[in-house]
Amino acid sequence: MTENAPLPAWPHVSDRVRDLHAQMTLEEKLAQIVGYWLDRGGDVVAPMANEMSSNISGGDRRLSEITAHGLGHYTRVYGTRPVEPAERAAWLWAEQKRLVDETRLGIPALVHEECLTGLATWEAATFPTPLAWGATFDPEAVEEMAAMIGSDMRDLGIHQGLAPVLDVIRDARWGRCEEAIGEDPYLVGTVGTAYVRGLQSAGVHATLKHFVGYSGSRAGRNHAPLSAGPREIADIFLPPFEMAVLDGGVRSVMASYNDIDGVPQHASIEHLTTLLRETWGFDGVVVADYFGVAFLAVMHAIAADRGRAAAYALEAGVDIELPSGDAYLEPLAALIRSGEVSEAIVDRAVLRALKQKEELGLLDESFAAGLEEGAPESIDLDSPAHRSLARRLAEESVVLLSNDGVLPLRGDLGKVAIIGPNADRSEALMGCYSFVNHVMVSYPEKPLGIELPTIAEAVRAELGASSCEVVPGCDVEGTDRSGFPAAVSAAEGADVAVVVVGDQTGLFGRGTVGEGNDSESLELPGVQRELVSAVLATGTPVVLVVVTGRPYAIGWALDDETRPAAVLQAFFPGEEGGAALARVISGAVNPSGRLPVSLPRVSGTQPYSYLQPLLGGPSEVTSTDPTPARPFGFGLSYTTFGYSGLSADRSVEAGGTFGVEATVTNLGDVAGVDVVQLYGRDLLASVVRPVTQLLGYQRVALQPGESATVRFDVPTTRLAFADRSYNRVVEPGEVEVWVAASAGEKVATAVAEGIAELSDVEAASAAGESGTDKALVTITGDVHRVGPSDQRMTTAAVSRI
C-alpha cells in the first residue's frame, strides 16, 4: 500500500486506546502487532519452522532488548517444552510486570497457546480430538469442555487460544482430518460455536482456524491450492465461520495458508475485510497462521520480499503476525520509512490489537510481584473433574460400526487376547495437538506428565478376565511381520481377540496422520490389515477396535464374508479413551457415537462428501460407485430405535421457521442414547442441490420401551444456498424433510409391506429401517436474501411420552 492509496477505515475504539496509540513511535506500533517465540526447541512444531528459525529466536539478545519497544504476543510460553505450570506462571507474572515497569508505555503482552484437545502444556488434561467431538453430536458437552480449558488458561495468565478448527473435511487423505469436526458444515458450525462460547465464557479469546478453504486442498495435500468455486466456498466452507462469528461472538480469526483461485488467504481483502468485517460485522483481531505472512514471499511468490508480504497482509486485514515479527518488524519498517508503504495500515492493526488487550483487561493489570498477588502457587490441570469430562466425551464418541452379537463382552470370559500395535500404547489415544504427541516426542527422558492408561490396561481392568495376553503383532507403520506368529498363537488360545489397529499421529512426516501427514492411500497403514486377517483365520471371534485420526477404507472388515464379529471406531479419544473403550466393550456404556465423516469404501472415491447432488452418487452413466462403506451419521447401539409419527408445518414463508416433529422409541431391553437426525431436500432450485442435507439433530436418552417426541424448529436459512449471482438466498418451493438414523439410510414408510397389522414403529423396525415417512413443506413468498440478522441454527425440544 503506497502513500497515495486510500487510507483504511479505522476501527471503533475507546478514547483510552486512541490516546495510547497517539503516543506510539513506529517501532512501538510494530512491536504490538507481532509475537515472540521465547524458547522454541526440539522437533519442528510448525511448518518450515527450522527454515524460519533465525527469525524466531532472539539468539544471545536479552528479553529486555528484544522487548525494548514493547510486545504484542508471547507465543506458546507453556506449550513449547515441558515446564512445570506453576513455576512458569510465576516467571510469566514477573515478566509481565517487567514489561509494565520497564517499557515506555507499560503495555503487557498477550499470551496465546494451542488448546485444541485441551491446554497444550505439560501435566494438562488431554481431551478427545475434534473429530471425536463431531462423533458425539453433543455441543453442550463440548462447550463444557471448552469452559474448563478456558478456566485453566486464564488461571495461568493465558489470554487467547488457537482453537477451534472449523475446516469442513472434504478429503479423508488430508492429514489434519483429526483436527476437524466433520464433513457437514452444520455439524462443524454448531459444535465449533459451542467450543467458542465455552472458551470465551472463561475470559479467554477463541481463534477460528483456518479462514478459509484450508481443508479443501487438492488431493488432500497440506497447504495445496483449493480448487473450489465461489458457490462451494459460500455453501460449504464459510457457514461454520459465519455461525461462530455471528452466533458465538468469537473475538479472533486465523487466516489460512492456502490460496483460492490464485489468491493466498493471508492476502485476501475479499475474505478478511469485505466478508468478515464489512458483511458479517466482525470487530475482533485477525492473526496470521505461523509464518503465513512470510509465506506470501517464500512460498506463494506474490511478494518480492518479506516487507512487501507484510504490506499485502496488513492491507488484507491480518492484524497480528505470528509466531514472531518475521515480516512486520524491520522489513516493513524499512518500506514505511522510505514512503513506499503507508503507516496507516499499521495504525489500523495496532488499534485492533490494543482494543483486544483492553477487552481482556490487560491494560489494567499491574502484575504485582509475588505469588500471593498474581500467579497461582499450584494448579491441578488434570483433576478428577477434568478426567470425568474427558471420559464422558470419549464414551459418547465411540462409534459401533458392526456387531453380530458378540458385544458387549461379559465379565465371565475366560481368556482374552489383546492384539495390535495400538493396544498397549498411550500415544495412540491422542491427537497431533496433544502435548504428548506435539511436544513430548522431543523429550523422551521426561515423564508424560499425566496418567494415560492404554486400551489393553483398561480392558484387563474392566473385564476381569481370567487371563489377558497382550501382543502387538506389528507396528503401526512398516512391513515387519515377525510378530504375526505370536499374535496368531495368542488368538488361538483365547475365547475372544480384541484387535486394536489404527494411526500414530505426528507432525510433518513423523506419523501416519496429523499436520503434514497426508496420505495417498486410505488402507490401514503398514501391514495392519494383514495382521487382522491372520487373527481372523484362527476362527476366534474378533472385536476390531480402530483408533485413528481419519476414516479409513475398512469396508472389508464390515461386509466381507470373513470379517470381525464387531467393529468399533474411535477418533483419538484422549487420556480416558482406553477406559471409555473398555466400558463400551464390557457393556457398562452403550455406544452412542455417530460418524461425523463418511467411511470410504476405497481411496479412489476421494474427495467425497455426503452432500452430493443426484449425479454425485452412483448412476447408470458411470462405472464407479462412491457410496461409502458406512454413511455420515451412522452408528449402532446395543439397543434399537424406531421413529414414527412424523409431522411438519405445511408451509412457511421464506426467511421464516417451520416445525418438524417425530417420535423416537427405544425398542430394545437396555437403556440407550439415540442421535435423532433431521434431513431435508430442496426438490427444485435454480442451482443443483444435494439430495440429502442435515437440518438438525438431537441426542435423546431413552429407557427400554420409552418414547419421546422431538420437535425441531428449522429456520429456512438451513436450506439457503448461493444463487447464480452468488448471493445466499432461500427460494420458494417444496422441501422434503424426514428423520433417519444416518444420511445414507433409505427412508422407510411408516408401515412395511406385509406387516400392516404391526404398529408403525414395530413395522419400520421389522423392515430393517428406523426411518419415517417424508413430509412436505412448502416455502412461500419471494426469494429471501440471507443476511447476518437471520437465524442460522435449528433448535430442538424433547418431550417424554
Side-chain angles (χ1 to χ4, degrees):
M1 182 176 180
T2 67
E3 286 285 359
N4 295 324
L7 295 179
W10 281 16
H12 295 291
V13 296
S14 68
D15 290 342
R16 179 186 189 182
V17 166
R18 198 168 295 279
D19 290 345
L20 190 58
H21 167 262
Q23 301 175 50
M24 288 182 164
T25 65
L26 174 61
E27 290 74 18
E28 288 170 332
K29 291 176 183 177
L30 295 176
Q32 287 300 316
I33 58 173
V34 301
Y36 177 67
W37 206 338
L38 181 69
D39 54 1
R40 193 189 71 79
D43 290 334
V44 174
V45 295
M48 294 184 65
N50 283 340
E51 290 84 346
M52 313 294 285
S53 61
S54 62
N55 300 289
I56 298 173
S57 172
D60 295 330
R61 299 166 64 205
R62 298 179 53 173
L63 275 180
S64 58
E65 180 184 353
I66 293 167
T67 61
H69 301 294
L71 182 64
H73 281 231
Y74 261 127
T75 293
R76 298 180 67 173
V77 169
Y78 294 89
T80 302
R81 60 183 178 88
V83 292
E84 203 286 319
E87 291 179 5
R88 193 59 155 181
W91 173 89
L92 179 59
W93 255 253
E95 171 59 15
Q96 292 279 37
K97 180 166 174 55
R98 185 193 66 78
L99 289 173
V100 171
D101 292 345
E102 297 182 12
T103 59
R104 188 176 74 89
L105 297 174
I107 304 172
L110 187 154
V111 179
H112 75 257
E113 288 288 353
E114 298 286 357
C115 56
L116 191 63
T117 60
L119 174 57
T121 190
W122 198 42
E123 300 181 346
T126 299
F127 294 94
T129 202
L131 198 55
W133 310 349
T136 71
F137 280 72
D138 191 348
E140 291 78 13
V142 171
E143 182 171 347
E144 187 178 344
M145 173 196 70
M148 183 174 285
I149 295 168
S151 178
D152 290 341
M153 295 173 77
R154 195 68 187 184
D155 286 346
L156 291 174
I158 303 165
H159 312 100
Q160 183 169 339
L162 303 187
V165 172
L166 298 189
D167 299 312
V168 178
I169 295 172
R170 304 295 276 172
D171 194 322
R173 296 171 297 181
W174 186 50
R176 301 188 81 171
C177 285
E178 58 161 279
E179 298 177 50
I181 294 166
E183 74 179 62
D184 180 84
Y186 185 66
L187 178 65
V188 174
T190 49
V191 173
T193 298
Y195 183 97
V196 168
R197 288 172 173 159
L199 198 75
Q200 294 192 165
S201 71
V204 173
H205 285 184
T207 306
L208 307 183
K209 302 194 306 190
H210 305 85
F211 194 68
V212 63
Y214 185 46
S215 56
S217 56
R218 267 181 221 154
R221 294 176 57 247
N222 196 32
H223 292 212
L226 172 65
S227 298
R231 182 169 293 107
E232 183 177 353
I233 293 167
D235 292 347
I236 300 296
F237 293 104
L238 287 175
F241 290 92
E242 182 183 30
M243 293 168 70
V245 169
L246 297 175
D247 300 307
V250 75
R251 301 307 299 145
S252 182
V253 173
M254 177 180 282
S256 176
Y257 285 126
N258 59 282
D259 76 74
I260 299 177
D261 195 24
V263 179
Q265 292 307 284
H266 278 73
S268 175
I269 296 173
E270 296 79 8
H271 284 142
L272 297 181
T273 295
T274 305
L275 176 65
L276 182 61
R277 294 191 183 277
E278 296 174 5
T279 301
W280 292 350
F282 175 73
D283 64 351
V285 170
V286 174
V287 301
D289 207 340
Y290 283 15
F291 312 115
V293 175
F295 284 0
L296 296 177
V298 301
M299 298 291 282
H300 292 292
I302 69 163
D305 52 45
R306 296 183 188 192
R308 288 169 178 82
Y312 277 137
L314 281 165
E315 187 176 7
V318 179
D319 303 306
I320 307 294
E321 184 185 14
L322 299 179
S324 59
D326 194 57
Y328 279 13
L329 291 179
E330 189 52 40
L332 177 61
L335 295 181
I336 293 174
R337 293 189 191 103
S338 72
E340 183 176 338
V341 173
S342 170
E343 193 171 337
I345 58 173
V346 173
D347 291 329
R348 180 177 66 176
V350 172
L351 287 169
R352 290 172 180 160
L354 293 176
K355 177 183 177 182
Q356 182 184 26
K357 289 188 175 183
E358 183 180 47
E359 289 177 357
L360 289 164
L362 275 167
L363 300 187
D364 297 311
E365 286 277 11
S366 65
F367 294 98
L371 293 176
E372 70 280 5
E373 298 184 43
E377 293 186 17
S378 64
I379 182 169
D380 188 351
L381 301 175
D382 192 28
S383 68
H386 289 83
R387 299 197 74 97
S388 175
L389 182 54
R391 180 180 291 191
R392 173 183 154 201
L393 277 161
E395 290 172 351
E396 290 184 4
S397 74
V398 176
V399 183
L400 179 61
L401 295 177
S402 68
N403 186 21
D404 71 357
V406 68
L407 289 181
L409 298 181
R410 304 304 177 187
D412 57 354
L413 284 171
K415 294 182 178 180
V416 177
I418 307 174
I419 298 167
N422 279 351
D424 207 25
R425 292 192 315 110
S426 298
E427 294 84 354
L429 298 170
M430 294 166 291
C432 174
Y433 272 75
S434 67
F435 195 77
V436 167
N437 285 324
H438 204 75
V439 175
M440 292 305 293
V441 291
S442 299
Y443 300 91
E445 75 284 359
K446 297 279 288 186
L448 296 180
I450 54 176
E451 292 297 320
L452 292 168
T454 68
I455 294 171
E457 291 168 344
V459 168
R460 184 186 293 116
E462 179 71 19
L463 294 180
S466 61
S467 175
C468 284
E469 185 175 0
V470 180
V471 181
C474 66
D475 294 328
V476 170
E477 298 182 88
T479 59
D480 185 0
R481 299 171 178 81
S482 61
F484 280 23
V488 167
S489 174
E492 288 175 334
D495 296 295
V496 65
V498 177
V499 182
V500 189
V501 298
D503 277 318
Q504 172 56 48
T505 193
L507 289 157
F508 309 110
R510 304 192 307 273
T512 59
V513 75
E515 186 172 3
N517 289 327
D518 313 310
S519 180
E520 296 177 352
S521 170
L522 291 179
E523 289 293 326
L524 283 174
V527 294
Q528 295 183 78
R529 179 173 176 177
E530 293 180 41
L531 174 67
V532 177
S533 296
V535 175
L536 283 171
T538 66
T540 299
V542 171
V543 175
L544 182 64
V545 180
V546 185
V547 183
T548 63
R550 63 160 60 90
Y552 280 98
I554 58 168
W556 52 269
L558 302 171
D559 301 319
D560 283 4
E561 185 174 348
T562 301
R563 61 181 182 268
V567 180
L568 291 166
Q569 171 71 61
F571 296 110
F572 291 148
E575 66 182 21
E576 285 288 331
L581 281 161
R583 286 165 59 79
V584 168
I585 289 170
S586 74
V589 169
N590 193 345
S592 61
R594 301 293 185 265
L595 286 175
V597 284
S598 304
L599 203 65
R601 284 188 306 105
V602 294
S603 304
T605 59
Q606 301 301 302
Y608 178 82
S609 167
Y610 88 92
L611 291 166
Q612 295 285 349
L614 187 61
L615 287 175
S619 72
E620 295 180 355
V621 300
T622 176
S623 59
T624 63
D625 184 354
T627 303
R630 294 294 183 270
F632 171 86
F634 179 87
L636 300 176
S637 169
Y638 295 150
T639 186
T640 56
F641 299 97
Y643 305 134
S644 62
L646 179 72
S647 65
D649 294 343
R650 292 180 179 271
S651 65
V652 60
E653 189 171 353
T657 298
F658 62 92
V660 181
E661 289 189 0
T663 297
V664 55
T665 300
N666 182 345
L667 302 172
D669 56 6
V670 295
V673 176
D674 187 32
V675 178
V676 181
Q677 301 165 49
L678 177 67
Y679 290 95
R681 179 188 180 187
D682 192 340
L683 295 179
L684 184 65
S686 59
V687 299
V688 175
R689 300 294 297 141
V691 296
T692 301
Q693 177 184 349
L694 182 69
L695 300 182
Y697 60 88
Q698 180 63 42
R699 289 176 61 89
V700 182
L702 295 170
Q703 293 298 314
E706 186 181 13
S707 296
T709 296
V710 182
R711 177 180 173 84
F712 295 99
D713 288 302
V714 186
T716 54
T717 53
R718 290 292 305 114
L719 295 151
F721 58 87
D723 66 10
R724 295 190 183 191
S725 299
Y726 303 113
N727 297 312
R728 291 272 292 172
V729 299
V730 177
E731 292 183 342
E734 292 184 333
V735 175
E736 282 184 336
V737 296
W738 65 96
V739 169
S742 75
E745 180 176 300
K746 179 182 178 183
V747 179
T749 57
V751 179
E753 182 178 357
I755 47 175
E757 70 278 6
L758 298 180
S759 69
D760 289 355
V761 81
E762 290 172 330
S765 175
E769 305 286 353
S770 60
T772 58
D773 284 326
K774 292 180 180 179
L776 201 64
V777 178
T778 301
I779 299 176
T780 63
D782 297 329
V783 173
H784 174 75
R785 185 164 178 176
V786 178
S789 62
D790 280 297
Q791 184 179 343
R792 281 157 295 279
M793 293 190 183
T794 296
T795 59
V798 178
S799 301
R800 305 287 169 177
I801 297 176

